[in-house]
Amino acid sequence: MTGPYQVFVAALPDVCSADPLRMVFTADSGGRCEVFTWDAAARRTRQVTDSSGGTAHCAIDADGYVWWFEEDATERGRWWFQHFDGGPRLPGLPGAPAGQPRGLAVTAGGVVAAAVADRRETVVLVGRRGRAPREVLRTSGPCRLGGITPDGTLIALASSADDAAAVEVVTPDGRAVATLPGVGRPGTGLWCQGFSPRAGRRELLLVQDLGDCYAPATWTPQEGLRSHRWCTFDTEISARWCPDTREVLVRQDRHGRSLLHRVDLDTRRRTVVPTPAGSVLDAAPRAGGAVDYLWTDTAHPPVLHAMDGIALPPPGPRAVVPGRHTDLWTPTDSGRVHTLLSLPEPAGSAPSPAVFLVHGGPADHDRDAYDATVHSLVASGYAVVRVNYRGSTGYGPHWRRAFPAGVGHTQVDDLAAVRGDLVSRGLVAGTASALWGVSWGAYLVLLALGSRPGLWQAGIAVKPVGDWVAAHRATTPALRALDVRLFGGTPDEVPDRYASSSPVTYAAAVTAPLLVVGATRDAKCPPGQIRSYLAALAAADVPHKALWLDTGHDGYDGASHVAVLRRSLRFLRDRLPDPALGAPGRPPAPAGGPRSR
């Protein structure tokens, strides 16, 4: 196969290749996300996986073996591997229980650590590549594998960043070596970033919340936890070890865009790695100082870059999102709210109908990055509004922790403030706007339509939380732990907080037509609580439509995404003024051909 390829993501950070001429990546194959290899010396690609539901998790180890997680429709599966050059496809840890992936780490020489989870617990395993593993431990709390030392003697496990045991270091037989707290310091949060890959070193990299900023930190058995306070960042960061030095590559998320920094922990030197304005979705340092990174902005799909000019896979279609893409800062009593605004090519004097795309998380953010939904909406004549409400990352610890009006209501306040600002500036139509979100973003869609009826004229909620109590009881351990942190307790302990933030409480007040999309195999936003919300809408005679997908929460099959996109666009056409014809009071597009886009 020779391409071209629309690259989605680069290799996982916990496993890296010693050969800079060999790369593993995921890309489109017949509408599905699949795993490919790229041999830069031969300028040749090879497709590794061909799953009916797509494959997203992949890596390459130091011995030249490609790894991928093969899962079924319930999002449960196991790790497999194959040599970079081909050959038999083999189970990574034969006999390991099936589950959802919670991390993989492989040493040179083939010692493998992996974690898999189900709805009750997470199991951590260790073994030799291709051989039956042994169990390290089981836990009912949130847990992710954070890495393994090059000699295979220490394993890092990450819990919630603000937990009393945010990171634990254990031996392969499960003996505890260290517990690193994420609380009890000026800030709240400690994030595990992996062990140094250098032979002979047992040094763990972390990111630490210092209260009003972030900094890298390290842990060793000899020195314990050490915070590098000389190197602080005002907004959220992630970090990766460089393979041959004690340097760290830091990616900073700042105001919807990305910056790369190289940090030398020995010399205390910090330098900016030049990248184009936009977003770096992933970045990987290589020996000798080179950096590979995956770059995008709102107008351009992701493209791989290599700073040393090494040959890369052929890029995918060079699509360009039409319209004007700009930033808007809305002043509020709680601070300025940042919005990424995409406006279609003008077709008349009146403002366009608008779709607010609401991001999930909440600890995530909308970024200056390509999004196929944005592309489709702007090309169809809609303005697209992406709001980084309070709780979003990329704006510092205080913004990330700000929930003064309660869970959900704080974010809806910000969405409403931005809507009012856009309408007052004449940028979007005040009587023709819709909300569209996925997962936690879909939850905000339902809450906004019920708690602020009349502000938006339609809503699309894809795999939402509609009933907090029912969702909490049926979701995964990691999300139950998140609920407890957000609300300050369980539904039995603080029932009024859950009820106040639950969309089902406000279902009867919804006035806008609503499309709700659920997934029958969704473990994160389970179908039962969506059905409860739909029943509440029906009991109140609220106009709504429902679409059910036979998938899990995270689908890698493009057909499902396309089906939702098409159904959603039809739904918007029926509920909002047709952008091609103009909003009420807007003159139609001139005769003689389609308008420019």
Side-chain angles (χ1 to χ4, degrees), residues 72-387:
D72 59 20
T74 67
E75 300 180 345
R76 291 167 51 85
R78 296 178 174 87
W79 286 101
W80 289 72
F81 73 98
Q82 181 188 56
H83 195 270
F84 184 90
D85 296 322
R89 296 157 43 97
L90 301 171
L93 295 170
Q100 296 177 329
R102 291 295 182 267
L104 172 75
V106 186
T107 71
V111 176
V112 183
V116 293
D118 59 23
R119 294 195 182 191
R120 297 181 302 277
E121 59 187 1
T122 301
V123 181
V124 180
L125 307 162
V126 67
R128 306 290 301 187
R129 181 177 49 231
R131 300 182 187 177
R134 66 180 182 276
E135 184 177 306
V136 177
L137 56 83
R138 289 174 178 259
T139 176
S140 59
C143 178
R144 178 183 62 82
L145 182 75
I148 188 170
T149 53
D151 60 7
T153 60
L154 294 178
I155 297 170
L157 304 174
S159 182
S160 301
D162 55 357
D163 195 87
V167 179
E168 293 186 90
V169 181
V170 301
T171 62
D173 60 4
R175 179 176 59 86
V177 175
T179 299
L180 308 180
V183 294
R185 296 173 291 99
T188 301
L190 189 68
W191 292 266
C192 182
Q193 306 292 288
F195 281 106
S196 169
R198 296 170 64 194
R201 296 198 66 87
R202 298 198 300 171
E203 186 171 20
L204 183 64
L205 179 64
L206 307 115
V207 167
Q208 195 171 35
D209 179 350
L210 299 179
D212 59 356
C213 60
Y214 300 90
T218 51
W219 174 91
T220 64
Q222 296 77 25
E223 295 186 350
L225 182 64
R226 179 183 178 188
S227 177
H228 299 274
R229 295 173 180 264
W230 57 270
C231 184
T232 60
F233 298 84
D234 63 345
T235 59
E236 283 71 19
I237 62 172
S238 58
R240 294 177 71 162
W241 287 106
C242 295
D244 54 349
T245 66
R246 199 165 175 260
E247 292 182 332
V248 172
L249 183 68
V250 174
R251 185 187 70 177
Q252 181 183 17
D253 293 321
R254 193 169 196 280
H255 300 174
R257 293 174 176 83
S258 305
L259 298 170
L260 287 183
H261 308 263
R262 190 187 300 274
V263 177
D264 190 320
L265 299 179
D266 287 329
T267 65
R268 294 193 170 195
R269 184 185 179 195
R270 167 174 155 183
T271 57
V272 174
V273 179
T275 59
S279 294
V280 175
L281 302 182
D282 197 4
R286 288 194 274 110
V291 174
D292 301 330
Y293 63 94
L294 186 64
W295 174 90
T296 180
D297 67 8
T298 299
H300 301 91
V303 178
L304 278 170
H305 291 258
M307 290 189 168
D308 60 355
I310 191 173
L312 292 172
R318 298 187 181 276
V320 177
V321 180
R324 295 182 291 121
H325 311 290
T326 186
D327 293 28
L328 178 81
W329 292 85
T330 297
T332 72
D333 292 340
S334 301
R336 297 195 306 159
V337 182
H338 183 211
T339 296
L340 297 169
L341 180 63
S342 295
L343 297 171
E345 299 290 347
S349 58
S352 301
V355 178
F356 285 66
L357 283 185
V358 188
H359 75 74
D364 200 351
H365 63 279
D366 272 317
R367 61 199 78 214
D368 182 13
Y370 179 82
D371 184 318
T373 303
V374 174
H375 192 163
S376 298
L377 287 168
V378 175
S380 299
Y382 296 99
V384 178
V385 184
R386 294 179 288 167
V387 180

Side-chain angles (χ1 to χ4, degrees), residues 248-541:
V248 172
L249 183 68
V250 174
R251 185 187 70 177
Q252 181 183 17
D253 293 321
R254 193 169 196 280
H255 300 174
R257 293 174 176 83
S258 305
L259 298 170
L260 287 183
H261 308 263
R262 190 187 300 274
V263 177
D264 190 320
L265 299 179
D266 287 329
T267 65
R268 294 193 170 195
R269 184 185 179 195
R270 167 174 155 183
T271 57
V272 174
V273 179
T275 59
S279 294
V280 175
L281 302 182
D282 197 4
R286 288 194 274 110
V291 174
D292 301 330
Y293 63 94
L294 186 64
W295 174 90
T296 180
D297 67 8
T298 299
H300 301 91
V303 178
L304 278 170
H305 291 258
M307 290 189 168
D308 60 355
I310 191 173
L312 292 172
R318 298 187 181 276
V320 177
V321 180
R324 295 182 291 121
H325 311 290
T326 186
D327 293 28
L328 178 81
W329 292 85
T330 297
T332 72
D333 292 340
S334 301
R336 297 195 306 159
V337 182
H338 183 211
T339 296
L340 297 169
L341 180 63
S342 295
L343 297 171
E345 299 290 347
S349 58
S352 301
V355 178
F356 285 66
L357 283 185
V358 188
H359 75 74
D364 200 351
H365 63 279
D366 272 317
R367 61 199 78 214
D368 182 13
Y370 179 82
D371 184 318
T373 303
V374 174
H375 192 163
S376 298
L377 287 168
V378 175
S380 299
Y382 296 99
V384 178
V385 184
R386 294 179 288 167
V387 180
N388 281 326
Y389 47 71
R390 279 170 290 175
S392 302
T393 53
Y395 301 85
H398 295 300
W399 193 261
R400 177 176 59 85
R401 293 193 291 261
F403 286 78
V407 175
H409 293 290
T410 299
Q411 291 71 43
V412 171
D413 285 349
D414 290 346
L415 292 170
V418 171
R419 178 198 169 278
D421 189 20
L422 289 169
V423 171
S424 67
R425 297 183 190 217
L427 293 172
V428 303
T431 58
S433 63
L435 292 164
W436 184 342
V438 179
S439 193
W440 212 81
Y443 152 66
L444 292 179
V445 170
L446 300 185
L447 183 65
L449 293 184
S451 64
R452 299 289 188 97
L455 285 188
W456 289 276
Q457 284 66 56
I460 299 168
V462 182
K463 303 174 186 175
V465 171
D467 182 336
W468 266 120
V469 174
H472 177 86
R473 302 196 193 287
T475 192
T476 65
L479 290 179
R480 282 197 295 273
L482 175 61
D483 294 348
V484 171
R485 295 197 305 277
L486 288 175
F487 289 103
T490 68
D492 293 331
E493 295 166 340
V494 287
D496 291 346
R497 295 180 188 175
Y498 281 80
S500 174
S501 295
S502 189
V504 73
T505 303
Y506 310 92
V510 174
T511 58
L514 182 59
L515 171 63
V516 179
V517 181
T520 59
R521 304 173 188 269
D522 195 334
K524 296 179 180 178
C525 297
Q529 53 88 27
I530 296 177
R531 292 190 176 98
S532 297
Y533 179 80
L534 292 174
L537 292 179
D541 292 325

Side-chain angles (χ1 to χ4, degrees), residues 528-574:
Q529 53 88 27
I530 296 177
R531 292 190 176 98
S532 297
Y533 179 80
L534 292 174
L537 292 179
D541 292 325
V542 174
H544 67 280
K545 301 288 185 181
L547 171 65
W548 286 96
L549 305 173
D550 188 24
T551 67
H553 192 79
D554 304 310
Y556 313 116
D557 180 359
S560 296
H561 295 288
V562 171
V564 172
L565 181 61
R566 287 176 173 169
R567 178 69 178 272
S568 300
L569 288 173
R570 289 199 303 270
F571 180 83
L572 292 175
R573 290 287 189 186
D574 292 341

